[in-house]
Every structure is written in C-alpha cells, then in structure tokens.
C-alpha cells in the first residue's frame, strides 16, 4: 500500500468546482479506530451545505478538509483495543459527524463504535447510501417523534434520501403514512408503502391531511409553519434544517396549537447501524441509489444532490 492516497480536497468554501482531487498521506489509526479502504461514500444535502460554508459542520471544519460522512468499505488495519472488527471485514457507518468525516478518499480513519458489519447481501453502494439518512430517519421518528403502531405520520419529501427511508421505517413500525413528493415519484412512494401520496406541486397538504400524530419535515420555514395545522393536539413536529432552529414564529404557533416542535442533529451510532443492518438483511429496508459517480466527478455528484430532485441517494464509488 502506498503511503499516499487520492482524496477530494476542499481548500476553501464555495462552489462544487472547489473540490479538487489531490494526493495526501494515508492516515494511521489510533486507539479504538479503524483504517478503512473506502469503496463507496454517500453524499447528503449537509455535504454541499458544508462545502458552501453553512451549518454546524462547516463551523467545525478546518480547511483544507475532506468532506463526507457516509462510508462503506473494508477494514485494513486496527488501532489498539479494537474488539468489534477484524481485518477485511466489510463495514459501514456515519463517521465523526458533525466533525470532519473524511469520506471522499481512498482511505479513512473511523471510530469502531460508530460502525457495523455490512450484510453479505448488500452492495457497497447501498451500504454507503444508508448511514446518515437512515440514522436521521430513525432518530426523528422514534427518539423525537415517539412514533408507534397505529399512529399517523406525514413525511415531507418522502422520495428523498431521508424521506424514502423514513417511510419504510414508519411502515415497519406499523404507522399510517402520508408522503409528499412530485407526481413523477409517486410510483416510488407506492412501492415504499405510502398510504396516501400527495403531489406537493398540485395539492395543498393542509386541505387534505388532518389529525396527524407526527410530521417529519426536512424542508423547514413556511413548510414547518403550515405543518403545525395538520397535527392533532399533543402531536410532534420534527424539523431537520438547523437554520430554522428555535424560529419564534414556529414555536409560537406550535404553543397555541398544543404541539411540540423538535429540531434535531443526527448522532453516529454503531449500535443503531447494527439494527439498520438487520433491517437491510431482512429486506424490511431498501435504500435506493439514484446515481453513482467516480471520485473524480465529486463536483458533478454534489451538483446532482444540490438540485434537490434526487429520488433516493447519490453515491461516490472510489
């Protein structure tokens, strides 16, 4: 193994063209860490927001930096005290979020307690598409929304990365699911098991939906405000975009309707990844990879995610 590797480096915040492929030293694992040969890296909206210098992850970043948090690959070497994995194990996880995850590179250092084994039946691309979106969906629905069997949930952007996974987790739990997406993605929504698909371009969800136990909103702002109208008293609105955190208009309206609002930031967890691996292996969770790009085309991959019209996930193949 050479002591240099290819990586997509961000030297200054800005457009996708600021991501450049360079050769940098292969890192060494410390205690409790693994060195991974990265086979695939998932790209999420937080990646391009960070690249633009926005959000909490950008504040944590020291430039130059290697972006990306979703990693799938093989264990190459182990730091002291690693007990959960062996060399050559295929593993996946969300690495070190919101600090630098260094996913867009041929090798990456990860913490063993944030990773899990990839089921034999699951490709590296699907594994890389899973962690951040699936952990977000899980936390939103079950830790913050306390969604239970028989309850009703509205999932906005239900064909997107987090959304298409949230639909499946909610159905697995036994909930009734309303999902919004453009008409062209309604086939996907039906495949996923959405009970009531809505076209956000032609249908006003507030006139169709009411008495929801929970809303999962990855859009924020005005959408969050309007979502409060469809919740029953005691219902929960979980908002993902951190830029609207503690928005007084949203909090005030929620209080007047006796609705709880929660903003959340996802946290890495190997234990959760094991649960998600079991669902993937059983076929209860299917993660859709919309497009793949080679590492050299990382800029194009970012631009694809930035359109906001990806069904499922975009993945870098390394």
């Amino acid at each position: 193994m050479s002591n240099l590797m290819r990586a997509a480096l961000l030297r200054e915040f800005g457009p996708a063209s600021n991501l450049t492929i360079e050769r940098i030293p292969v890192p060494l694992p410390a205690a409790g860490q693994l060195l991974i040969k990265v086979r695939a890296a998932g790209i999420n909206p937080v990646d391009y927001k960070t690249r633009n210098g926005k959000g909490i992850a950008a504040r944590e970043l020291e430039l130059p930096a290697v972006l990306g948090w979703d990693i799938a690959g093989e264990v190459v070497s182990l730091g002291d005290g690693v007990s959960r994995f062996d060399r050559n194990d295929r593993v996946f996880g969300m690495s070190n979020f919101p600090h630098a995850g260094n996913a867009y590179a041929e090798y990456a250092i990860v913490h063993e307690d944030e990773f899990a084994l990839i089921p034999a039946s699951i490709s590296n691309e699907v594994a890389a598409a899973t962690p951040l979106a699936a952990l977000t969906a899980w936390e939103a629905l079950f830790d913050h929304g306390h969604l239970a069997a028989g309850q009703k949930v509205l999932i906005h952007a239900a064909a997107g990365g987090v959304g298409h996974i949230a639909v499946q987790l909610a159905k697995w739990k036994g909930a009734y699911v309303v999902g919004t997406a453009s008409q062209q993605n309604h086939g996907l929504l039906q495949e996923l098991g959405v009970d009531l698909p809505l076209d956000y371009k032609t249908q006003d969800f507030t006139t169709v939906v009411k008495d929801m136990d929970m809303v999962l909103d990855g859009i924020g702002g005005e959408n969050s405000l309007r979502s409060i109208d469809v919740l029953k008293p005691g219902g929960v609105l979980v908002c993902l975009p951190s830029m609207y955190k503690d928005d007084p208009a949203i909090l005030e309206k929620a209080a007047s309707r006796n609705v709880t609002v929660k903003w959340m930031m996802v946290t890495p967890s190997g234990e959760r990844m094991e649960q998600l691996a079991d669902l993937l292996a059983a076929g209860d969770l299917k993660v859709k990879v919309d497009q793949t790009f080679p590492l050299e085309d990382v800029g194009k991959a970012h631009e694809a995610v930035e359109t906001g019209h990806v069904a499922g996930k975009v993945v870098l193949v390394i």
Side-chain angles (χ1 to χ4, degrees), residues 27-88:
L28 294 172
Q33 293 181 334
L34 312 167
L35 177 65
I36 304 291
K37 171 79 185 87
V38 181
R39 296 295 179 187
I43 297 184
N44 297 283
V46 68
D47 296 33
Y48 73 73
K49 288 172 187 166
T50 304
R51 189 202 74 225
N52 278 318
K54 295 178 177 156
I56 185 163
R59 292 197 293 276
E60 300 287 345
L61 216 55
E62 281 181 38
L63 298 180
V66 177
L67 296 183
W69 289 276
D70 280 348
I71 293 173
E74 291 106 40
V75 177
V76 176
S77 62
L78 315 171
D80 289 345
V82 168
S83 57
R84 294 180 59 209
F85 303 107
D86 292 315
R87 280 182 187 77
N88 299 323

Side-chain angles (χ1 to χ4, degrees), residues 231-246:
L231 282 161
K232 62 180 180 199
V236 183
L237 168 63
V238 179
C239 300
L240 300 181
S242 57
M243 70 181 95
Y244 300 105
K245 190 169 182 343
D246 300 330

Side-chain angles (χ1 to χ4, degrees), residues 176-204:
Y176 176 90
V177 178
V178 182
T180 66
S182 61
Q183 190 62 48
Q184 71 200 46
N185 287 322
H186 280 208
L188 173 62
L189 295 197
Q190 273 147 352
E191 247 174 76
L192 297 172
V194 169
D195 297 285
L196 177 60
L198 299 177
D199 180 358
Y200 71 88
K201 291 179 178 170
T202 61
Q203 288 174 288
D204 176 358

Side-chain angles (χ1 to χ4, degrees), residues 144-145 152 210-217 223-239 247-263:
H144 299 287
K152 296 196 292 187
K210 59 175 197 294
D211 293 332
M212 292 283 119
D213 295 284
M214 182 191 164
V215 177
L216 173 53
D217 182 27
N223 206 65
S224 295
L225 262 181
R226 296 173 70 238
S227 294
I228 293 167
D229 294 331
V230 307
L231 282 161
K232 62 180 180 199
V236 183
L237 168 63
V238 179
C239 300
D247 180 318
I250 294 172
L251 290 172
E252 200 174 305
K253 185 174 180 183
S256 74
R257 297 292 300 265
N258 189 21
V259 163
T260 305
V261 184
K262 296 185 175 178
W263 281 270

Side-chain angles (χ1 to χ4, degrees), residues 7-22 47-48 50-53 63-67 104 295-300 302-303 306:
L9 219 58
L10 181 71
R11 292 194 171 274
E12 56 182 274
F13 294 122
S17 56
N18 283 11
L19 293 163
T20 54
I21 306 299
E22 302 189 31
D47 296 33
Y48 73 73
T50 304
R51 189 202 74 225
N52 278 318
L63 298 180
V66 177
L67 296 183
Y104 306 170
L295 180 62
E296 287 69 24
D297 289 342
V298 62
K300 287 182 189 163
H302 264 236
E303 285 163 357
E306 243 169 317

Side-chain angles (χ1 to χ4, degrees), residues 99-110:
H99 308 284
N102 303 300
Y104 306 170
E106 290 179 304
Y107 295 90
I109 295 290
V110 306

